[in-house]
Amino acid sequence: MSKKIKQIGVKLPSFQKINAYLFFCIVAITGIWWILLSEVMGSMNLKLIHRILIVHGITATFCLMIFGSLMTQHIRVAWQLKKNRVSGGISIFTIGLIILSGLGLYYAEEDQQMIYEWAHIVMGLLVVFLIPIHIIFGRKSSS
């Protein structure tokens, strides 16, 4: 495979890029909105909080599908080309922890829920900063 073809494999097609950005933003906004309502303001508007969590969960599912599609081309080719490995590796690791903590929120014992909740919050807030940094570094390295 030529280097030019591999470079194209790193760059996301428009449709994939738009969907990745859209769903990432919705997941980030709903996650931050939930944190503000539940943890910061202590809101008792359970109906609103429930709706936010529904949107968050549905869009997180789409983010998982997008992440899977990125693994087959974008991540694999970029790793082979040794492009943006540090921010990419940290992002992949953090997303993996978000996935595990999300599963823990649903399936862990009740006495462990708080641990998974805070791990999910911390990793979620961290990835909100990591992904844009990864994108910025990627654009700088390809120019």
Side-chain angles (χ1 to χ4, degrees):
M1 193 179 327
S2 76
K3 191 160 181 124
K4 186 174 183 172
I5 292 171
K6 286 185 179 182
Q7 287 286 41
I8 292 169
V10 174
K11 188 174 177 174
L12 298 182
S14 296
F15 177 77
Q16 190 177 25
K17 185 190 302 185
I18 289 166
N19 280 304
Y21 290 178
L22 174 68
F23 285 103
F24 172 75
C25 286
I26 294 170
V27 161
I29 289 166
T30 55
I32 292 168
W33 194 8
W34 179 86
I35 293 168
L36 290 173
L37 285 176
S38 296
E39 302 299 324
V40 176
M41 296 168 44
S43 175
M44 288 297 166
N45 190 342
L46 298 180
K47 214 174 228 187
L48 176 61
I49 291 171
H50 181 70
R51 287 185 181 136
I52 292 168
L53 286 176
I54 289 170
V55 174
H56 186 74
I58 290 169
T59 54
T61 303
F62 283 101
C63 284
L64 283 171
M65 293 188 315
I66 291 165
F67 182 63
S69 73
L70 292 174
M71 291 176 81
T72 62
Q73 185 71 18
H74 175 76
I75 294 170
R76 183 180 54 82
V77 173
W79 200 263
Q80 288 172 346
L81 293 173
K82 298 180 178 163
K83 295 269 185 184
N84 215 0
R85 276 189 172 182
V86 173
S87 67
I90 293 169
S91 296
I92 291 167
F93 180 75
T94 307
I95 290 168
L97 292 177
I98 289 171
I99 293 167
L100 292 174
S101 63
L103 290 169
L105 288 170
Y106 283 101
Y107 299 113
E109 298 295 326
E110 199 171 322
D111 60 335
Q112 298 172 343
Q113 290 290 316
M114 192 65 72
I115 295 166
Y116 285 102
E117 181 180 322
W118 281 103
H120 198 72
I121 289 170
V122 169
M123 292 299 116
L125 290 173
L126 187 59
V127 86
V128 166
F129 293 102
L130 286 174
I131 297 299
I133 289 169
H134 175 69
I135 293 167
I136 291 166
F137 284 168
R139 286 184 179 163
K140 283 184 180 179
S141 72
S142 66
S143 45

mmCIF file of all heavy atoms in Angstrom, residues 60-88:
data_model
loop_
_atom_site.group_PDB
_atom_site.id
_atom_site.type_symbol
_atom_site.label_atom_id
_atom_site.label_comp_id
_atom_site.label_asym_id
_atom_site.label_seq_id
_atom_site.Cartn_x
_atom_site.Cartn_y
_atom_site.Cartn_z
ATOM 1 N N ALA A 60 -24.519 7.822 22.797
ATOM 2 C CA ALA A 60 -23.312 7.075 23.172
ATOM 3 C C ALA A 60 -23.230 5.769 22.390
ATOM 4 O O ALA A 60 -22.138 5.340 21.996
ATOM 5 C CB ALA A 60 -23.301 6.802 24.674
ATOM 6 N N THR A 61 -24.384 5.159 22.131
ATOM 7 C CA THR A 61 -24.408 3.937 21.327
ATOM 8 C C THR A 61 -23.910 4.220 19.918
ATOM 9 O O THR A 61 -23.114 3.455 19.354
ATOM 10 C CB THR A 61 -25.837 3.354 21.294
ATOM 11 O OG1 THR A 61 -26.258 3.115 22.644
ATOM 12 C CG2 THR A 61 -25.883 2.061 20.502
ATOM 13 N N PHE A 62 -24.352 5.329 19.340
ATOM 14 C CA PHE A 62 -23.856 5.708 18.019
ATOM 15 C C PHE A 62 -22.362 6.029 18.068
ATOM 16 O O PHE A 62 -21.618 5.708 17.138
ATOM 17 C CB PHE A 62 -24.653 6.878 17.440
ATOM 18 C CG PHE A 62 -25.996 6.473 16.912
ATOM 19 C CD1 PHE A 62 -27.136 6.692 17.659
ATOM 20 C CD2 PHE A 62 -26.114 5.844 15.683
ATOM 21 C CE1 PHE A 62 -28.384 6.306 17.191
ATOM 22 C CE2 PHE A 62 -27.355 5.450 15.193
ATOM 23 C CZ PHE A 62 -28.500 5.676 15.954
ATOM 24 N N CYS A 63 -21.909 6.650 19.155
ATOM 25 C CA CYS A 63 -20.477 6.931 19.305
ATOM 26 C C CYS A 63 -19.669 5.632 19.348
ATOM 27 O O CYS A 63 -18.562 5.578 18.799
ATOM 28 C CB CYS A 63 -20.222 7.750 20.565
ATOM 29 S SG CYS A 63 -20.674 9.485 20.401
ATOM 30 N N LEU A 64 -20.217 4.600 19.986
ATOM 31 C CA LEU A 64 -19.535 3.304 20.000
ATOM 32 C C LEU A 64 -19.400 2.741 18.586
ATOM 33 O O LEU A 64 -18.360 2.186 18.225
ATOM 34 C CB LEU A 64 -20.296 2.304 20.871
ATOM 35 C CG LEU A 64 -20.125 2.456 22.367
ATOM 36 C CD1 LEU A 64 -21.114 1.546 23.099
ATOM 37 C CD2 LEU A 64 -18.709 2.141 22.779
ATOM 38 N N MET A 65 -20.458 2.880 17.792
ATOM 39 C CA MET A 65 -20.397 2.404 16.401
ATOM 40 C C MET A 65 -19.366 3.212 15.605
ATOM 41 O O MET A 65 -18.591 2.647 14.825
ATOM 42 C CB MET A 65 -21.776 2.486 15.749
ATOM 43 C CG MET A 65 -22.759 1.509 16.363
ATOM 44 S SD MET A 65 -24.362 1.348 15.536
ATOM 45 C CE MET A 65 -24.869 2.993 15.214
ATOM 46 N N ILE A 66 -19.346 4.514 15.817
ATOM 47 C CA ILE A 66 -18.378 5.368 15.121
ATOM 48 C C ILE A 66 -16.960 5.004 15.554
ATOM 49 O O ILE A 66 -16.050 4.887 14.717
ATOM 50 C CB ILE A 66 -18.685 6.858 15.376
ATOM 51 C CG1 ILE A 66 -19.995 7.240 14.679
ATOM 52 C CG2 ILE A 66 -17.533 7.746 14.934
ATOM 53 C CD1 ILE A 66 -20.582 8.564 15.137
ATOM 54 N N PHE A 67 -16.761 4.784 16.846
ATOM 55 C CA PHE A 67 -15.448 4.385 17.359
ATOM 56 C C PHE A 67 -15.005 3.071 16.713
ATOM 57 O O PHE A 67 -13.847 2.927 16.294
ATOM 58 C CB PHE A 67 -15.496 4.267 18.883
ATOM 59 C CG PHE A 67 -14.191 3.912 19.519
ATOM 60 C CD1 PHE A 67 -13.095 4.753 19.419
ATOM 61 C CD2 PHE A 67 -14.051 2.733 20.233
ATOM 62 C CE1 PHE A 67 -11.881 4.432 20.009
ATOM 63 C CE2 PHE A 67 -12.853 2.405 20.829
ATOM 64 C CZ PHE A 67 -11.759 3.249 20.722
ATOM 65 N N GLY A 68 -15.921 2.128 16.595
ATOM 66 C CA GLY A 68 -15.608 0.864 15.936
ATOM 67 C C GLY A 68 -15.204 1.063 14.485
ATOM 68 O O GLY A 68 -14.263 0.434 13.997
ATOM 69 N N SER A 69 -15.907 1.962 13.793
ATOM 70 C CA SER A 69 -15.557 2.221 12.393
ATOM 71 C C SER A 69 -14.203 2.921 12.285
ATOM 72 O O SER A 69 -13.464 2.700 11.333
ATOM 73 C CB SER A 69 -16.650 3.044 11.702
ATOM 74 O OG SER A 69 -16.644 4.386 12.127
ATOM 75 N N LEU A 70 -13.862 3.747 13.260
ATOM 76 C CA LEU A 70 -12.562 4.415 13.261
ATOM 77 C C LEU A 70 -11.418 3.417 13.465
ATOM 78 O O LEU A 70 -10.326 3.596 12.930
ATOM 79 C CB LEU A 70 -12.503 5.487 14.347
ATOM 80 C CG LEU A 70 -13.390 6.710 14.149
ATOM 81 C CD1 LEU A 70 -13.324 7.618 15.376
ATOM 82 C CD2 LEU A 70 -13.011 7.469 12.903
ATOM 83 N N MET A 71 -11.696 2.372 14.238
ATOM 84 C CA MET A 71 -10.657 1.379 14.511
ATOM 85 C C MET A 71 -10.236 0.639 13.249
ATOM 86 O O MET A 71 -9.061 0.286 13.100
ATOM 87 C CB MET A 71 -11.142 0.387 15.568
ATOM 88 C CG MET A 71 -11.281 1.014 16.939
ATOM 89 S SD MET A 71 -11.950 -0.124 18.134
ATOM 90 C CE MET A 71 -10.484 -1.035 18.536
ATOM 91 N N THR A 72 -11.162 0.407 12.331
ATOM 92 C CA THR A 72 -10.845 -0.399 11.158
ATOM 93 C C THR A 72 -9.969 0.335 10.152
ATOM 94 O O THR A 72 -9.212 -0.300 9.427
ATOM 95 C CB THR A 72 -12.127 -0.869 10.443
ATOM 96 O OG1 THR A 72 -12.852 0.271 9.991
ATOM 97 C CG2 THR A 72 -12.981 -1.709 11.356
ATOM 98 N N GLN A 73 -10.064 1.640 10.089
ATOM 99 C CA GLN A 73 -9.304 2.368 9.080
ATOM 100 C C GLN A 73 -8.434 3.460 9.722
ATOM 101 O O GLN A 73 -7.221 3.368 9.723
ATOM 102 C CB GLN A 73 -10.257 2.998 8.048
ATOM 103 C CG GLN A 73 -9.576 3.666 6.891
ATOM 104 C CD GLN A 73 -8.931 2.685 5.938
ATOM 105 O OE1 GLN A 73 -9.230 1.505 5.930
ATOM 106 N NE2 GLN A 73 -8.009 3.167 5.128
ATOM 107 N N HIS A 74 -9.076 4.464 10.275
ATOM 108 C CA HIS A 74 -8.390 5.655 10.782
ATOM 109 C C HIS A 74 -7.311 5.297 11.816
ATOM 110 O O HIS A 74 -6.151 5.686 11.671
ATOM 111 C CB HIS A 74 -9.431 6.610 11.380
ATOM 112 C CG HIS A 74 -8.865 7.807 12.045
ATOM 113 N ND1 HIS A 74 -8.370 8.890 11.337
ATOM 114 C CD2 HIS A 74 -8.706 8.118 13.357
ATOM 115 C CE1 HIS A 74 -7.936 9.810 12.189
ATOM 116 N NE2 HIS A 74 -8.126 9.364 13.418
ATOM 117 N N ILE A 75 -7.692 4.576 12.835
ATOM 118 C CA ILE A 75 -6.752 4.273 13.921
ATOM 119 C C ILE A 75 -5.662 3.314 13.437
ATOM 120 O O ILE A 75 -4.473 3.531 13.695
ATOM 121 C CB ILE A 75 -7.503 3.697 15.139
ATOM 122 C CG1 ILE A 75 -8.427 4.776 15.734
ATOM 123 C CG2 ILE A 75 -6.535 3.167 16.188
ATOM 124 C CD1 ILE A 75 -9.401 4.276 16.784
ATOM 125 N N ARG A 76 -6.058 2.272 12.720
ATOM 126 C CA ARG A 76 -5.101 1.272 12.244
ATOM 127 C C ARG A 76 -4.053 1.898 11.325
ATOM 128 O O ARG A 76 -2.846 1.707 11.510
ATOM 129 C CB ARG A 76 -5.842 0.150 11.524
ATOM 130 C CG ARG A 76 -4.952 -0.983 11.051
ATOM 131 C CD ARG A 76 -5.747 -2.071 10.337
ATOM 132 N NE ARG A 76 -6.566 -1.578 9.242
ATOM 133 C CZ ARG A 76 -6.106 -1.324 8.011
ATOM 134 N NH1 ARG A 76 -4.834 -1.516 7.732
ATOM 135 N NH2 ARG A 76 -6.920 -0.890 7.068
ATOM 136 N N VAL A 77 -4.501 2.675 10.348
ATOM 137 C CA VAL A 77 -3.567 3.279 9.386
ATOM 138 C C VAL A 77 -2.695 4.336 10.064
ATOM 139 O O VAL A 77 -1.480 4.382 9.846
ATOM 140 C CB VAL A 77 -4.338 3.875 8.180
ATOM 141 C CG1 VAL A 77 -3.404 4.655 7.269
ATOM 142 C CG2 VAL A 77 -5.039 2.773 7.403
ATOM 143 N N ALA A 78 -3.295 5.183 10.902
ATOM 144 C CA ALA A 78 -2.516 6.216 11.594
ATOM 145 C C ALA A 78 -1.457 5.585 12.495
ATOM 146 O O ALA A 78 -0.328 6.081 12.579
ATOM 147 C CB ALA A 78 -3.447 7.116 12.411
ATOM 148 N N TRP A 79 -1.803 4.482 13.135
ATOM 149 C CA TRP A 79 -0.833 3.809 14.008
ATOM 150 C C TRP A 79 0.327 3.254 13.180
ATOM 151 O O TRP A 79 1.490 3.374 13.568
ATOM 152 C CB TRP A 79 -1.525 2.687 14.801
ATOM 153 C CG TRP A 79 -0.738 2.300 16.007
ATOM 154 C CD1 TRP A 79 0.137 1.262 16.118
ATOM 155 C CD2 TRP A 79 -0.716 2.974 17.262
ATOM 156 N NE1 TRP A 79 0.687 1.243 17.375
ATOM 157 C CE2 TRP A 79 0.179 2.278 18.104
ATOM 158 C CE3 TRP A 79 -1.375 4.092 17.773
ATOM 159 C CZ2 TRP A 79 0.432 2.664 19.409
ATOM 160 C CZ3 TRP A 79 -1.124 4.472 19.076
ATOM 161 C CH2 TRP A 79 -0.223 3.767 19.879
ATOM 162 N N GLN A 80 0.014 2.671 12.018
ATOM 163 C CA GLN A 80 1.068 2.147 11.144
ATOM 164 C C GLN A 80 1.980 3.266 10.648
ATOM 165 O O GLN A 80 3.193 3.074 10.512
ATOM 166 C CB GLN A 80 0.457 1.428 9.938
ATOM 167 C CG GLN A 80 -0.183 0.108 10.273
ATOM 168 C CD GLN A 80 -0.937 -0.491 9.095
ATOM 169 O OE1 GLN A 80 -1.197 0.177 8.107
ATOM 170 N NE2 GLN A 80 -1.282 -1.760 9.208
ATOM 171 N N LEU A 81 1.403 4.435 10.384
ATOM 172 C CA LEU A 81 2.186 5.577 9.904
ATOM 173 C C LEU A 81 2.869 6.347 11.038
ATOM 174 O O LEU A 81 3.579 7.313 10.794
ATOM 175 C CB LEU A 81 1.290 6.543 9.118
ATOM 176 C CG LEU A 81 0.733 6.025 7.802
ATOM 177 C CD1 LEU A 81 -0.274 7.016 7.231
ATOM 178 C CD2 LEU A 81 1.867 5.789 6.817
ATOM 179 N N LYS A 82 2.618 5.920 12.270
ATOM 180 C CA LYS A 82 3.163 6.583 13.458
ATOM 181 C C LYS A 82 2.742 8.044 13.519
ATOM 182 O O LYS A 82 3.523 8.930 13.857
ATOM 183 C CB LYS A 82 4.680 6.436 13.509
ATOM 184 C CG LYS A 82 5.103 4.995 13.599
ATOM 185 C CD LYS A 82 6.591 4.833 13.644
ATOM 186 C CE LYS A 82 6.863 3.338 13.772
ATOM 187 N NZ LYS A 82 8.170 2.941 13.459
ATOM 188 N N LYS A 83 1.480 8.291 13.199
ATOM 189 C CA LYS A 83 0.910 9.643 13.207
ATOM 190 C C LYS A 83 0.081 9.849 14.470
ATOM 191 O O LYS A 83 -0.780 9.033 14.786
ATOM 192 C CB LYS A 83 -0.001 9.858 11.989
ATOM 193 C CG LYS A 83 0.685 9.818 10.669
ATOM 194 C CD LYS A 83 1.112 11.184 10.300
ATOM 195 C CE LYS A 83 1.706 11.201 8.906
ATOM 196 N NZ LYS A 83 2.215 12.472 8.565
ATOM 197 N N ASN A 84 0.350 10.920 15.175
ATOM 198 C CA ASN A 84 -0.494 11.370 16.280
ATOM 199 C C ASN A 84 -0.730 10.268 17.317
ATOM 200 O O ASN A 84 -1.820 10.146 17.862
ATOM 201 C CB ASN A 84 -1.828 11.870 15.701
ATOM 202 C CG ASN A 84 -2.394 13.033 16.459
ATOM 203 O OD1 ASN A 84 -1.826 13.505 17.432
ATOM 204 N ND2 ASN A 84 -3.541 13.496 16.027
ATOM 205 N N ARG A 85 0.291 9.479 17.583
ATOM 206 C CA ARG A 85 0.144 8.317 18.464
ATOM 207 C C ARG A 85 -0.123 8.680 19.924
ATOM 208 O O ARG A 85 -0.881 7.987 20.591
ATOM 209 C CB ARG A 85 1.388 7.445 18.398
ATOM 210 C CG ARG A 85 1.392 6.496 17.252
ATOM 211 C CD ARG A 85 2.548 5.548 17.399
ATOM 212 N NE ARG A 85 2.467 4.486 16.409
ATOM 213 C CZ ARG A 85 3.343 3.507 16.341
ATOM 214 N NH1 ARG A 85 4.362 3.471 17.167
ATOM 215 N NH2 ARG A 85 3.206 2.584 15.424
ATOM 216 N N VAL A 86 0.509 9.730 20.426
ATOM 217 C CA VAL A 86 0.354 10.049 21.846
ATOM 218 C C VAL A 86 -1.081 10.475 22.148
ATOM 219 O O VAL A 86 -1.750 9.872 22.993
ATOM 220 C CB VAL A 86 1.364 11.129 22.296
ATOM 221 C CG1 VAL A 86 1.085 11.573 23.724
ATOM 222 C CG2 VAL A 86 2.790 10.612 22.168
ATOM 223 N N SER A 87 -1.571 11.505 21.451
ATOM 224 C CA SER A 87 -2.932 11.956 21.735
ATOM 225 C C SER A 87 -3.956 10.907 21.317
ATOM 226 O O SER A 87 -4.986 10.741 21.975
ATOM 227 C CB SER A 87 -3.226 13.293 21.053
ATOM 228 O OG SER A 87 -3.259 13.163 19.651
ATOM 229 N N GLY A 88 -3.663 10.158 20.250
ATOM 230 C CA GLY A 88 -4.568 9.089 19.831
ATOM 231 C C GLY A 88 -4.610 7.960 20.843
ATOM 232 O O GLY A 88 -5.681 7.472 21.196
#
